[in-house]
Amino acid sequence: MPAAAWATLIIAALIIAVTGIGLLRVILHLRHVSRTLADLTGGVRAIAASTATVPAVVGSVNAELAPVRDFCESV
């Protein structure tokens, strides 16, 4: 085989190796981002559960505070 063919094969192998390493780094970064987003989603869900509205309780609280409101209005 001529030297030009060997040089072409070596250069092609180097390009493929560098591309493979680059793709591997991209895969690792994407996995890290995926884990971070999963943790973030879990945190957001926890905050949403902690700060949920309480419409079912508001009616009973208003009913219990009605005598206080009536007294305050009479004063």
Side-chain angles (χ1 to χ4, degrees), residues 10-73:
I10 291 172
I11 291 171
L14 288 174
I15 290 173
I16 291 170
V18 169
T19 305
I21 291 170
L23 289 174
L24 183 62
R25 289 185 64 193
V26 168
I27 290 169
L28 293 175
H29 284 294
L30 288 175
R31 287 180 65 198
H32 177 71
V33 167
S34 177
R35 286 188 198 128
T36 303
L37 287 175
D39 293 342
L40 181 66
T41 303
V44 168
R45 286 186 181 149
I47 291 171
S50 297
T51 59
T53 58
V54 288
V57 178
V58 172
S60 65
V61 170
N62 284 340
E64 290 179 14
L65 291 176
V68 176
R69 184 182 62 228
D70 294 338
F71 173 76
C72 290
E73 288 176 357

